[in-house]
Structure formats: C-alpha cells, structure tokens
Amino acid sequence: AGFWAIKGGGAWPGVRCDAAPESQSAWLWASDQCGLWQREWRADWDGRAPPPPAAGAEKMKTQGRVRHLLFIRHGQYDLDSDEHGLTALGREQSRLLALRLRDMADQVQRESPTKTFSITFSGIWSSDVLRARQTAEIIAENLPGVALFPPDPALAEGQPAVPCPHRKPGDVRASSLWEDSARIEYAFRRYVHRDVDHKRLAEEEKRERKKAKQKEMEGQAPEAEQKKTAEVAALTSSGSAGAETTEHTFEIIVCHCNVIRYFVMRALQLPPEAWLRFGGFNAGITEVVVRPNGSVSLVRFGDTGHLSVAQTTFH
C-alpha cells in the first residue's frame, strides 16, 4: 500500500534509510519520493547532465551559470486573520531582509584565493499565499531593476511528505498529502536544477552538424550555416565547471518553511521524510548552490543575521 493508505493510524515501518532497495519501497507511506530515495548520489538527478560520449568522441564539458537559489521564508503573519497577512513585525522583518539583500547586490564575493564573482540578482519569485507575496513585494521595492515575477501557486505551503519521526501519524490526511506532495515535488523540479540542459544542447549540436554535413555534400555550405555550426560547437566545448569565466546568478524565491525544508532534503539527495528535523525562522535566508556539473551545496540555512533576537520569530 502507498502513503495514501496511512489515514487511520497503524504501525509505522521501521525501515532504515540505508536499507536494501527491496525494503525501501516500504517508505511509500511517507511519499512517492521517500519510496524512491536511494543512498548513492544520482549524478543525473535533474536529467540535464551531459549524455555519454559516442565512441571515440570527447566527453562534453559542462557549462552554464552557477545558480545561487535564495529560498526566503516569509515574515511573521497574523494567525488570527483568515488571510494570514504580515503583521507589523513581519513587515519590519521583511524590510530588514530586503536591506540586507540590497547591500549584497553588486558586491564581489571571493570563491577561492584566485576566483571572485559579482552578486547579481536575476529575479524574484514567490508563492501566491498572501504573506509570501507581501514579503516578495517589500523585497522588490528595495531592489529596483530586479524583476518581480507573477506569484506561483506551486510554491504554496503544504505537507511535502509524512515526516519521520512523527508524533501523530494518524493525524495525516491522506488526500491532502496526495495533492501537496505531488505539487511541492513539481515545484522542486521546476526551480531546482542546473542552468543548462546538456542533453538538449548535445541534440542541437548533432542536428547542426548533420545539416552542415548535408550542405557540404551538396556543395552548398553557406557562410551563415557554417558560422552557426561553429558557434554551437564552440559553446559545447567551452564553459566547463570551474572555468575562470563561469558566471554566477542569484535567484530570490519567497515561499514557506515546509517547502524550503523539503527542497533542501531533495537537493542534497537526503531522505525526504527527514524534512521536519530542520527548523527555520521568519525572513530567514536559505542558500542552495547548483553548479553546472550538477553538484549541489547548502551554503546556509535559515540565516537571520539581519534580525535581532527580539525580532526573531517562528510563526
């Protein structure tokens, strides 16, 4: 039985996270992704890794920008209101957060003793829940020139998986989990991936080479066609991860605590059902870095250095 059959209680499986593949399917009660999780790192986790090289061909070099995904938890919200909009403190938390991000903009950060990069924000995204949208709008007001994109319902709060451990497993509503887990997993796949789809790029290069060869056989290789083929080939053979010219981009995504915690577990390829073991205060910054070669790092989680102790809240 899958996780949709858990309502009503019952014994919880005692499966270890390093269990053999045949026993891991027992984790389906938590979510589909919990049942599919495996201990070994999946290099092609987003389906965008370079394809295996053909016989005698060189391995395709990775390329694209280093993506810094800044997952922002919204400010404090009014629990007594049906709309759950920001409180006065929540607005102040969001303002201080925005000022910190503004101070970061265009700063030069050192990646290593010999490499630096400039912090450039490429956009602001948010869920369609009022408290998250209000937080995103306050950030946008303080970052002129950075686009604020339409709200995305996929980023809304919900329960991504049954957490383990969980004190009251019988309280989990199967229908809500069925919908939330699929939606939040979709949001993860939409926002968390490497910058370039190397398989599509390889297919494009192959098509261009085929066209060029056909033109050459016909004796009609126009200069424009040759130039386009050369550009694709040059793009494919350059931009390796770790190259001095690698560009960095920072993306601000304002959403919710459960969503962020689940994203972190999935990005690091850790057991998804462990998401509730993380905390996370209002207006905190969680930074996940996705490199062109598919490696992923958690740089910081729930960073609230812009808030005083008195300004730090959970709800």
Side-chain angles (χ1 to χ4, degrees):
F3 68 82
W4 50 87
I6 65 172
K7 182 65 176 175
W12 280 55
V15 183
R16 290 167 50 89
C17 63
D18 58 350
E22 59 269 17
S23 62
Q24 286 183 339
S25 61
W27 282 100
L28 282 170
W29 54 266
S31 80
D32 291 340
Q33 287 302 316
C34 294
L36 293 172
W37 181 81
Q38 64 181 27
R39 193 176 187 87
E40 294 183 359
W41 178 264
R42 298 182 182 182
D44 195 19
W45 56 274
D46 59 352
R48 296 186 174 210
E58 292 185 2
K59 183 179 180 180
M60 184 180 187
K61 294 182 179 180
T62 57
Q63 61 186 271
R65 301 170 298 177
V66 176
R67 299 182 66 208
H68 296 253
L69 306 177
L70 302 184
F71 294 107
I72 308 294
R73 191 187 176 203
H74 55 76
Q76 184 194 56
Y77 61 98
D78 187 356
L79 291 171
D80 297 325
S81 167
D82 292 337
E83 293 80 13
H84 287 174
L86 293 180
T87 63
L89 175 57
R91 290 184 175 278
E92 178 63 9
Q93 291 170 337
S94 301
R95 186 186 71 84
L96 294 172
L97 164 67
L99 293 179
R100 182 177 181 185
L101 294 173
R102 188 179 69 183
D103 288 342
M104 289 172 56
D106 301 323
Q107 293 289 324
V108 175
Q109 184 168 334
R110 185 171 297 280
E111 184 178 12
S112 71
T114 60
K115 297 180 184 178
T116 60
F117 60 87
S118 178
I119 297 177
T120 302
F121 296 114
S122 59
I124 304 168
W125 293 260
S126 79
S127 85
D128 63 344
V129 179
L130 181 59
R131 55 188 181 271
R133 192 59 181 177
Q134 289 175 330
T135 302
E137 290 171 348
I138 293 173
I139 294 173
E141 290 172 0
N142 288 273
L143 291 176
V146 179
L148 174 61
F149 292 91
D152 185 355
L155 290 168
E157 184 64 300
Q159 186 158 3
V162 179
C164 181
H166 194 289
R167 288 173 294 183
K168 298 180 180 180
D171 290 344
V172 177
R173 186 176 298 280
S175 59
S176 297
L177 181 64
W178 174 254
E179 296 174 2
D180 285 352
S181 62
R183 172 180 57 78
I184 297 173
E185 173 63 22
Y186 161 75
F188 168 77
R189 298 187 186 197
R190 182 173 185 176
Y191 288 93
V192 185
H193 52 75
R194 69 194 86 190
D195 186 42
V196 170
D197 186 340
H198 294 85
K199 291 183 177 60
R200 289 188 180 182
L201 186 62
E203 292 170 359
E204 181 181 348
E205 182 196 28
K206 185 177 180 179
R207 285 194 298 268
E208 294 301 330
R209 289 185 183 279
K210 185 176 181 180
K211 289 180 182 179
K213 185 176 181 179
Q214 184 66 28
K215 293 289 186 180
E216 184 178 357
M217 291 176 63
E218 297 173 355
Q220 302 175 357
E223 184 177 341
E225 192 73 25
Q226 292 177 337
K227 182 178 180 182
K228 183 176 181 181
T229 302
E231 289 175 349
V232 173
L235 185 62
T236 305
S237 62
S238 64
S240 62
E244 295 292 339
T245 57
T246 300
E247 181 184 352
H248 291 246
T249 182
F250 287 71
E251 303 164 43
I252 300 170
I253 304 167
V254 185
C255 50
H256 307 268
C257 199
N258 292 357
V259 175
I260 295 171
R261 292 185 281 191
Y262 178 76
F263 281 9
V264 167
M265 301 306 295
R266 289 284 287 114
L268 299 180
Q269 296 191 27
L270 297 175
E273 66 274 5
W275 62 270
L276 193 56
R277 300 175 198 176
F278 282 90
F281 294 115
N282 294 120
I285 304 172
T286 295
E287 182 176 355
V288 174
V289 176
V290 182
R291 296 176 179 81
N293 64 0
S295 67
V296 180
S297 299
L298 177 63
V299 176
R300 48 183 157 174
F301 183 89
D303 180 0
T304 54
H306 44 282
L307 303 179
S308 69
V309 173
Q311 294 170 322
T312 303
T313 59
F314 178 76
H315 74 78

